[in-house]
Each structure stands twice: as structure tokens, then as C-alpha cells.
Amino acid sequence: MSTTDADETRPVEDPRGDDDAWPNGRQLRSLTRDATDAHTGGSYFEVISEVYSVVFSAAIALAIALGAVQGLNATLTPGPEVHTLDPTWLAVVTTLIVAGAIVGLAGRIGPVGMGGGQAVWWLPTPADRRGLLRPRSVLVPIMGAAVGAAGGLLIGFLALGEPGPALGSIVVLSTLGGAALALAAAAGQVQLGNKRARRVRPAALIGDILMAAGPVLGLAVVFVRPPPLMMPTGTVAVVAIAVLAVLVVALLVRVDTGLNAISGRELRARGAVSAYAAGAVTSMDTRELGRALSGSTAPDQRRRSARMAWVRGPVSAIVTGDALVLSRSPRHLIQIVVAASLALMALLAGWPTWVNVTTLLLGGYLAAMATAESARRAEMAPVLDRFFPISAFDVRRVRIILPGVIMVLWSAGVFAVWGATHGNLPGWIALGVIAAPTFAAGVVRAAYRKPPDWTKPLVTGPMGPVPPGVLLAFARGPDLVVICLIPTLIALIAFGPTFVLVWLQAATSAIAFAIATHVKDEKKPSMMERATEAQKAAGPR
Amino acid sequence: MAKKQTTAPMIRADKVSVGYGSDIASAVCPPITVNMKPGEGLAVVGANGTGKSTFLRAVAGLLDVLGGQIDVFGRPVDERARRFRADVAIVLDEDSYLPALTVREHLLLTARGHGMERVSELVTEIIEEFGLTARQQAAPTALSSGQRRRLLLASAFVRPRRLMVLDEPEQRLDSGMRDRLAERLAAERKSGGGVVMATHDPVLVRVVATRAVLLGEDEVRVVSPEVAAQAIEAM
């Protein structure tokens, strides 16, 4: 018998020794925290200072929002119009949107995950998952409650217009509701556990549906005009609060006892998404945040492949790819419908012209953004634009086709309603159709923008220091829409769709198209390419 | 009348300096001079950080050279041009796909976008060749990293091309797939196509390359495939 064979037959001694000698999850967290503190040298005063800054900024932002909402309540008091939207119903619409945002966000980022170094160093250890994950599971209801409380304040002021006992009930209810929704998403994650994940994460889908239901309900209320809602007070409020409190505690226990069931793969995947999203928030890059949240939510998506027999050449290939990406993304389809509902709701509710114009602009841009997912992905992975025998200039022009077609249909519908309520229906439809490519050009320009530039010196303003490079990055896309829609804005606010304004809009739409399809002569590697290069240079072979 | 065979270089690199800075001082390797004709395979070999991928990026037109000149098919490199994109198939080390499309749809779209005939049969053949048959209805996000690599390589073979630019094509592939890829690339070269690749695989160098550029910190040498393969084995 060879030495090797002898080694193989010898019982392997467990090098770990006694299990009790190993730190549990809580001890491991403590050890890591102590080691980190020893190296970073941060003082408690710095932490207090940062917390103070965040809380103070949030309080000021909330106070400003509350003032605006209170003013909105006074403006929206029902008038003699045929169609109107009572503030109490608008509060319900807002509640659905806030609830959808909480559930959808919680479903996409985890809510319980572990990324970066912690996933690499902690998950392979024998330490119990529950001990490792408990701070994150506690943070989930706290974040949900914080969003719920802020939303409750806004909703309460919107519905009531002034402080009072009913406002207190609404705030407490929405605080508990926010915590319950976030915990419900976490409980769903625990429920999935090690099972093969379904095609779509339920929490993300439910969140999207809730967000879509808000504006659609608002539109329905405008037509039906139901009586104002009674706000919960007295016994009803107390019972509702008690029920929600019990639900929160029950969900908290369910999540806490089920933490060990969440698989390492699931924790890593959710941790990666939250780390990506956190990085995008820190760098104030909304495009990156969208990418982080629109990443695949299912590990094994399968579907029947389309034959694509209609594709002939690069143009139809690119347009077909763009259309498939849009048609297979329920979130983006919902976004288009929600944007139309928003614009129509404001228009039909008899609100002031400036509110209608603002919601039309916002709705149009929101809808157009949903159609440009392929362009945003091509910016991140430029190879997608180089796959086909077509010049870079032409690729950019082709990428506008799908957003352009969708926005022509969207604008025709919304401007038709505008025409029906303001007269001169054909003129408004013509103006809407001609203005539509501007929205498409704006989102394609935004899709191909550079990441925010933080290297430029900060500019001091009344609201504090402002990074100009970041503002310029955010403005790229919306700037084109606002400037090139000036003829339409003048028509909406003052003169209607006159012959001159329609022609002017045609000219500015052409300018928008030309600007959005301009390709600079740049051969610098993308962020992903640079990261890959650095990794390859550093990695061992 | 037989088609006139051209022996003009596919790639002509003349004292090319490459790097990620803005001046010649930031070059990652000494200047590179090499020509590649149709039917040749050129391996770019060297240790980590010697500039293999950087040189390939310059050949692919994704990076401006710091000095010298690169011509591809007799013209200065311009990857934005339709003709360049039609002639050159590029597979670099990056995951590039649309998550909403299946593996088969990616290849169908690529083939049809390049105006290929008998697309369905062609895609089925390529999928089989690259071992993706069982996963052809899956989204790329559901593939392993090796399978995603196969998908990217397959996308280069499902379309017409005169030149292939490949950055470490062997990465994340199992040994069987590496062997099949080497045979495929050798056949590509023998049929008159050009293959330029950065690689750390001595087998790929021996089977595919007809010449190699050996990149070092102090010098760049154009060597035989055998010398390059031995250099890799000694690294």
C-alpha cells in the first residue's frame, strides 16, 4: 500500500475541535466591529455629527413638503366642476403609492441580505445565521416605519389640512403599516428559504401593482366622484392600531425565527443588490439606482424563444431587441400606464393649468423612461451597440425608434383628452404627436450620459454646497425635453395649438433628435471595462 | 474567374504604444510593431499587466493609441464605422447581454441582424457546438459564468466576420470546450479568416496561432507559437 493510500484510509481528524470553541453569530459580529473600530479610528462625536446632519436635513425637507401639501389641500377643496378629486381620496392614492414603494423596494433589495466582505468572510463560518443577521432584520421594520411615518404625515396633512387627533391616528397607523409591510416582505423571503425561487419575486410584483393602483384609482375617483372619506378616529383608530401592532410583533417573531432558513445564495444575491443600490444612492446616480433595482429578480428565468422571422438586418434586429426587453418587463409597462393616469387625473380633476402642465411633462418623461431600458443597458455594456453591422451614429438613431413610437401613442391619447376638455381636438392631437419624439430624444440622451462628475469643486448655495458635476449629469435628458418642448408649453399655457406653434414644435423636435443622436469621438473604456481590466491585472493566474 | 487573393495585412501595427493615460509616459508596454495577414493567427502573450488586453482594445478600436498607428483592413481603426463592425467580431472579457432575451434569442437576433441565411439551423448548430442546447431557453442571468462565456463566443461564430478579436477566450471554459474552441479557431484561420487573441493557454497558442507577440516590461518580441507557448508555461 502506498503512502497516499494509507493517508486516505486514516480517519480525518476534525481540525475544528469543539464546536463551542467557535464564536457564534453575535460574537463574530462583535469581533469584526471591534477590529474595524480599531483600524478606522472614528470617534463617537463624528457619528453623532453625521446622524445630526441627516436627521436635521430630513426634518427640513419634511417641513418644506408639509407646507406644500397643506397648500395643496386648500387648493384641491372640491369646487363646482363636474369632475374633481377630493383631498381625502388623493390621500388614499398617495397611500397606495407609498405602500407600493415600500413593498417593491423591500422585495428588490432583500430586505435581508449580506454583501461584500461580510458575505465572503461570515457566511462560510459555522456561526449561526440568526446571530449574524439579527441587526439587519431589526433594521427592516425600523426603515419601513420611518418611511411610513413620513408618508403618514404627508398623507394626513393632504387629507385634513391641519393637525389634530385624526392626523395623529393616521401617522401612527402608517408608521405601523410601513413596518408591517417591510416585515411582510422579509417574511416572504424567509418563506422562500432554500426553495427554488419563483419566476418573479412576489413582493416586487405586489409593490408594482400597488404603485400602479394609486393613479388608476385616482382617475376612477375623478369620474365617479364619491363622497369624501371619513378619517379614522376614536375606537376605530384604536382597534386598527392594536391590530397592526399585533401584526408587526407576529411578523417580527416569524422573521426572527426563520433567519436561519434563508440560503447563502439568496443572502449574497440580495446583498449584492443592496450594495449596488446603496452605492448609487451615495453617488446620487439615479440611472445606476434604476439598474440596481431592475436587475433580474429570479435566478432561473426560462421562456419559449421567439423565432424573430421578421428580423431582416441590423435596424429591425435592434428595434426587435428593444421591444422584447420592454414587453417582458411588467414594471416598465405599468410605468407607462401610471404616467398616463397621472397626467389624465390632473387634467380631468379640474386642477390649475400649471399643475396640469407639470404632470403632463412629468408623466411624459416617466413614460418615456420606461421605454429606454435597452439604451441604458447598452451604455453600461457598449458591446450591445457594436453587435450589428451598423454605424455608431445609426445605432443611436435606431435606439430612438421604439421610445418614439410608444410616446407618439401616449401623447396622442393624453393630448386628445386635453383637446376634448379645451376644444380644437385635431390641433392638440397633432401637437402631441409632433412633440412626442422630444420625450424619446430626452430619455435616450439621458441613457447615454456619463456618470456624475464629483471632481468639480463644490458651489456654495443657500441650501448648502452643491456639486455642479452631479447636477449637470441629472439635467442631461430633462434639459432637452424642457427646452425643446417650449412651443408645446406655450400652447398649453396660453395660445393653444396654433399653426405657428405646431411648426415650431416640429423644428424643435428635429433639433432634439439631432442632439440625442450625436455621438462623440470617444474611445475611453466604460466603468465596467476599467473595473474588469483592473481586476485582471491584479488577479493571480 | 477566380477571386483575386489579397495578401494585404488585416492588421498593421506600427510602433504602437498603448495605455490608459493621456501621454506616452503612461504606456503599459514598449511600442508594438506587427502585421497580420489573412489566414494568420496572432497570439498576444505576456504576464498580468503587460498590456495584452490593452493592445487588443486598441485593435478593436475601443481605446486610442498613445503613439504609433494601427490600421485594420488598410484603414485607421474606427469601431464606430459600419464596415468595421461588419468585418470584425469582438469578444472581450465582459458580460454583455439583454437579461430579457433567452440564449437562443440572442443568437437568432445576432444572425438575423447580420443578414445570415438559414438562421434557425445555423443557430441550432452553434448552440449544440457550444454545449448550450439544454440552456437555450434560459435567460443569460440564469447561466453559469462559463456558460455565459460560451454564449459570447457563440455570438461571434453565428455571424459573418473576416477578423476575430478575442481577449482570453479560454477563460472560464472547461478543458473539453477549450479543445473544441481551439479546433474551431484553427479552422477559422485555415479558411482565410484572421484571429488575434490574448491568451494564457499554451494549447490555444500552439493550435491556433501562426505567430505570437510576446509582451514584456522591457521589450516586445514577435516569436513563433512554440516559443510563446513555452513562455506561458514558464510564467
Side-chain angles (χ1 to χ4, degrees):
Chain A
M1 184 185 276
S2 70
T3 311
T4 309
D5 290 339
D7 286 345
E8 280 173 359
T9 52
R10 192 182 303 155
V12 178
E13 190 179 330
D14 187 349
R16 292 175 301 180
D18 185 5
D19 279 353
D20 293 339
W22 280 86
N24 60 29
R26 187 177 175 182
Q27 290 166 329
L28 194 56
R29 277 194 288 110
S30 177
L31 282 169
T32 310
R33 190 174 58 241
D34 291 346
T36 307
D37 288 348
H39 288 102
T40 51
S43 70
Y44 285 108
F45 287 110
E46 286 174 12
V47 176
I48 292 168
S49 167
E50 285 180 14
V51 170
Y52 170 78
S53 301
V54 170
V55 171
F56 189 68
S57 306
I60 287 180
L62 193 60
I64 293 170
L66 286 179
V69 166
Q70 209 168 4
L72 194 60
N73 173 275
T75 311
L76 298 184
T77 303
E81 295 87 356
V82 177
H83 301 300
T84 188
L85 182 58
D86 183 83
T88 56
W89 280 102
L90 186 57
V92 175
V93 170
T94 314
T95 304
L96 282 172
I97 293 173
V98 171
I102 292 175
V103 175
L105 201 60
R108 286 188 168 85
I109 65 172
V112 182
M114 188 181 282
Q118 291 177 345
V120 173
W121 294 102
W122 284 1
L123 288 181
T125 66
D128 60 306
R129 294 272 163 87
R130 193 175 172 193
L132 290 171
L133 294 170
R134 186 166 274 165
R136 289 158 203 273
S137 66
V138 171
L139 201 61
V140 168
I142 290 175
M143 294 299 287
V147 176
L153 264 176
L154 293 173
I155 292 162
F157 266 93
L158 183 62
L160 305 167
E162 57 187 12
L167 179 69
S169 304
I170 290 172
V171 172
V172 175
L173 278 170
S174 50
T175 305
L176 287 170
L181 286 172
L183 279 169
Q189 195 183 6
V190 167
Q191 189 70 32
L192 281 175
N194 276 314
K195 289 181 219 161
R196 192 185 177 90
R198 293 167 198 167
R199 189 165 165 180
V200 178
R201 294 181 76 80
L205 186 63
I206 292 168
D208 290 346
I209 291 171
L210 282 174
M211 283 190 83
V216 174
L217 173 71
L219 199 56
V221 168
V222 166
F223 282 113
V224 178
R225 198 173 185 179
L229 284 170
M230 295 296 292
M231 291 295 114
T233 51
T235 313
V236 176
V238 171
V239 170
I241 288 169
V243 169
L244 270 179
V246 170
L247 184 64
V248 166
V249 173
L251 285 168
L252 201 55
V253 172
R254 171 75 187 97
V255 170
D256 190 61
T257 53
L259 286 175
N260 279 329
I262 305 178
S263 68
R265 186 188 67 181
E266 168 76 0
L267 288 172
R268 283 191 180 90
R270 296 303 105 202
V273 174
S274 11
Y276 191 1
V281 170
T282 307
S283 62
M284 295 171 68
D285 192 337
T286 49
R287 185 179 60 192
E288 286 300 318
L289 184 61
R291 281 174 184 158
L293 298 180
S294 64
S296 171
T297 51
D300 192 7
Q301 293 183 35
R302 277 175 169 272
R303 54 167 49 96
R304 193 181 182 83
S305 297
R307 284 179 53 79
M308 303 185 195
W310 59 87
V311 176
R312 294 274 187 280
V315 173
S316 55
I318 293 172
V319 174
T320 299
D322 291 357
L324 283 175
V325 168
L326 176 63
S327 66
R328 290 174 182 176
S329 171
R331 185 169 74 88
H332 289 121
L333 293 173
I334 287 172
Q335 191 173 323
I336 294 171
V337 176
V338 167
S341 303
L342 265 179
L344 294 177
M345 183 181 79
L347 180 59
L348 293 170
W351 292 352
T353 304
W354 70 267
V355 178
N356 294 339
V357 172
T358 307
T359 50
L360 194 149
L361 270 183
L362 285 175
Y365 197 75
L366 195 66
M369 272 175 62
T371 65
E373 177 63 20
S374 295
R376 286 192 289 274
R377 192 156 281 277
E379 191 279 335
M380 185 170 70
V383 171
L384 294 172
D385 271 354
R386 301 184 198 121
F387 261 145
F388 300 107
I390 181 171
S391 72
F393 171 70
D394 287 332
V395 167
R396 199 69 66 88
R397 291 203 301 181
V398 174
R399 291 266 183 228
I400 285 189
I401 291 177
L402 182 78
V405 169
I406 303 275
M407 288 316 294
V408 163
L409 297 173
W410 190 95
S411 296
V414 172
F415 277 78
V417 176
W418 188 289
T421 53
H422 291 75
N424 191 5
L425 182 64
W428 283 111
I429 292 178
L431 183 64
V433 168
I434 289 169
T438 306
F439 286 114
V443 292
V444 169
R445 175 174 159 87
Y448 284 100
R449 71 167 165 76
K450 290 179 185 172
D453 181 3
W454 287 87
T455 59
K456 293 182 178 169
L458 297 176
V459 176
T460 307
M463 300 290 283
V466 178
V470 177
L471 292 184
L472 281 175
F474 286 159
R476 201 171 172 85
D479 57 351
L480 198 65
V481 173
V482 171
I483 291 170
C484 291
L485 278 184
I486 284 176
T488 297
L489 294 176
I490 293 172
L492 289 168
I493 293 167
F495 300 111
T498 63
F499 182 77
V500 174
L501 285 174
V502 170
W503 274 105
L504 275 176
Q505 182 56 59
T508 53
S509 290
I511 292 170
F513 180 82
I515 293 172
T517 53
H518 177 66
V519 180
K520 284 185 179 174
D521 183 13
E522 286 183 349
K523 294 177 184 171
K524 288 178 183 166
S526 67
M527 189 174 69
M528 182 182 277
E529 291 163 349
R530 284 197 303 271
T532 308
E533 192 67 26
Q535 197 176 22
K536 281 170 64 179
R541 282 271 172 253
Chain B
M1 187 177 153
K3 197 173 177 181
K4 189 180 174 184
Q5 287 288 319
T6 173
T7 53
M10 280 183 161
I11 299 174
R12 194 173 67 80
D14 184 20
K15 295 174 187 164
V16 169
S17 293
V18 291
Y20 286 106
S22 54
D23 56 25
I24 199 93
S26 55
V28 292
C29 60
I32 300 167
T33 297
V34 66
N35 290 348
M36 195 184 108
K37 291 178 182 168
E40 282 196 316
L42 183 67
V44 184
V45 174
N48 292 135
T50 49
K52 300 182 301 298
S53 299
T54 313
F55 176 64
L56 278 198
R57 299 197 72 80
V59 172
L62 306 177
L63 193 69
D64 279 328
V65 297
L66 302 174
Q69 165 91 25
I70 299 181
D71 289 345
V72 173
F73 298 118
R75 295 184 194 84
V77 174
D78 182 4
E79 71 80 24
R80 298 167 307 156
R82 189 202 70 79
R83 190 162 181 170
F84 185 91
R85 291 181 177 189
D87 287 341
V88 185
I90 303 168
V91 179
L92 302 179
D93 184 28
E94 55 188 11
D95 273 348
S96 310
Y97 48 79
L98 296 169
L101 271 59
T102 64
V103 166
R104 187 174 180 83
E105 284 170 340
H106 274 87
L107 298 177
L108 281 172
L109 210 57
T110 306
R112 292 194 195 281
H114 279 269
M116 298 292 284
E117 300 292 329
R118 284 195 322 110
V119 169
S120 191
E121 294 87 341
L122 173 69
V123 166
T124 302
E125 283 168 21
I126 293 282
I127 282 177
E128 203 170 314
E129 189 178 341
F130 280 83
L132 291 167
T133 306
R135 306 293 286 156
Q136 61 178 314
Q137 308 294 357
T141 46
L143 302 179
S144 71
S145 67
Q147 288 171 328
R148 284 201 297 274
R149 186 68 173 161
R150 290 177 183 215
L151 171 60
L152 283 178
L153 288 165
S155 71
F157 284 102
V158 83
R159 47 158 289 183
R161 68 267 158 195
R162 294 170 66 194
L163 172 65
M164 300 185 87
V165 180
L166 310 171
D167 189 7
E168 298 183 25
E170 75 277 10
Q171 265 196 3
R172 309 197 294 271
L173 300 181
D174 55 52
S175 59
M177 188 65 234
R178 283 186 189 203
D179 292 344
R180 291 200 296 280
L181 177 68
E183 288 167 17
R184 192 68 152 86
L185 290 173
E188 177 81 12
R189 174 175 60 72
K190 286 169 187 165
S191 67
V195 178
V196 56
M197 59 181 181
T199 181
H200 289 284
D201 186 346
V203 176
L204 213 52
V205 172
R206 287 189 175 109
V207 175
V208 180
T210 51
R211 280 188 303 153
V213 177
L214 186 56
L215 299 180
E217 283 184 15
D218 302 322
E219 64 169 350
V220 172
R221 289 190 295 146
V222 177
V223 297
S224 70
E226 186 53 37
V227 172
Q230 286 171 8
I232 292 171
E233 286 161 346
M235 279 174 199

